[in-house]
Amino acid sequence: MTRGQTYTLGVDCGGSGIKASVLDESGVLHAPPVRVRTPYPLPPGRLVDTIAALAADLPPAHRVTVGVPGMIRHGVVVATPHYVTRSGPRSAIVPELADAWRDCDVRALLEERLGLPTLVLNDAEVHGAGVVTGEGIELVLTLGTGLGAALFDRGDLAPHLELSHAPVRRGLTYDVYIGQVERRRLGSTLWSRRVQRVVEGLWPVVRWDRLYLGGGNAQNVTPAVLARLGERVTVVPNQAGIIGGVRAWALGTA
């Protein structure tokens, strides 16, 4: 490690996997990312234990950035969709887990456990921090287990909106409509058309200068659909969910 550099432990927590790496100030990885399957059931303490175990297998860092699915405000979980369930996405909600996660100060728990300053944001917000240019209105949509969203205005993070839980058609939420289960059921071609309808439906709501499609399923959007979406829409690598851990500290998110 280079003296004088600030190293960041970036952790991307998803519904199916949790991955982490350590990055320098330029966002360069200083170790191959490590990944584990998201363990269920997952009370807050088990998530903290999982992140600590990943950190133990990586080089030391000076600070930590963690992206968590759901609505996060100032490091506190307002609501999280997956971690309150018995065995992961689409399984039954466990009331005790819902109570444990409600208003849980994850940032404080991690800072106590790791002994490092910690930033906890929605996972799509961390992803966005890794790709936005700071010019105009930029919307980030992450396509994975469900749908994640983050909105930036000239590089500053806007208040989080859980677009994923809004109804899109016939009682379905965005989370279900273009989530991983539907992609597997429909195949990438039909699923991509759904992504197109979602993007076109959000345009009059946001009127972005640039839209980024990220997350593990962004690579499955067909070239034909991407061509129809136009030049203001860009697919970005899923690795941004870790790289954004560095830039998040300087983009008006801390």
Side-chain angles (χ1 to χ4, degrees):
M1 301 183 80
T2 304
R3 292 186 62 183
Q5 280 265 13
T6 297
Y7 289 88
T8 303
L9 170 65
V11 185
D12 185 9
C13 301
S16 59
I18 299 173
K19 55 183 179 291
S21 189
V22 171
L23 309 95
D24 66 16
E25 294 170 358
S26 301
V28 175
L29 298 178
H30 275 252
V34 292
R35 184 186 186 278
V36 296
R37 289 187 62 83
T38 303
Y40 290 100
L42 187 61
R46 192 176 186 187
L47 177 66
V48 171
D49 289 344
T50 302
I51 292 172
L54 290 174
D57 290 333
L58 291 167
H62 301 99
R63 63 188 185 185
V64 184
T65 305
V66 180
V68 177
M71 185 170 285
I72 317 297
R73 291 180 182 152
H74 310 293
V76 176
V77 175
V78 177
T80 185
H82 310 308
Y83 301 163
V84 298
T85 65
R86 186 176 308 281
S87 56
R90 300 292 189 94
S91 64
I93 293 175
V94 179
E96 293 81 4
L97 285 175
D99 290 340
W101 279 105
R102 187 179 300 114
D103 298 325
C104 178
D105 193 339
V106 177
R107 178 170 61 184
L109 293 176
L110 286 167
E111 286 186 336
E112 180 179 2
R113 179 63 179 274
L114 300 175
L116 297 170
T118 301
L119 181 62
V120 179
L121 298 168
N122 171 273
D123 52 346
E125 294 172 346
V126 179
H127 198 104
V131 300
V132 297
T133 64
E135 298 179 1
I137 299 295
E138 297 174 279
L139 177 64
V140 180
L141 298 178
T142 54
L143 308 171
T145 303
L147 173 70
L151 186 64
F152 292 80
D153 180 5
R154 296 179 181 177
D156 288 337
L157 181 61
H160 184 67
L161 300 175
E162 277 289 76
L163 295 178
S164 59
H165 296 300
V168 59
R169 61 176 299 187
R170 298 176 183 172
L172 295 180
T173 63
Y174 287 98
D175 221 23
V176 174
Y177 187 63
I178 55 173
Q180 171 70 346
V181 171
E182 286 297 279
R183 191 195 69 80
R184 286 178 174 171
R185 184 181 73 85
L186 295 170
S188 291
T189 298
L190 292 178
W191 173 82
S192 294
R193 293 175 188 170
R194 286 191 173 189
V195 173
Q196 180 182 348
R197 285 195 286 270
V198 167
V199 171
E200 291 174 346
L202 289 175
W203 165 250
V205 178
V206 180
R207 293 191 179 270
W208 54 78
D209 295 295
R210 174 67 58 182
L211 168 67
Y212 303 95
L213 295 177
N217 275 331
Q219 62 185 350
N220 293 313
V221 179
T222 62
V225 164
L226 288 176
R228 288 195 290 270
L229 290 178
E231 61 182 16
R232 290 191 180 188
V233 178
T234 303
V235 173
V236 294
N238 195 32
Q239 194 176 25
I242 293 179
I243 295 173
V246 177
R247 297 186 68 203
W249 289 83
L251 281 175
T253 59

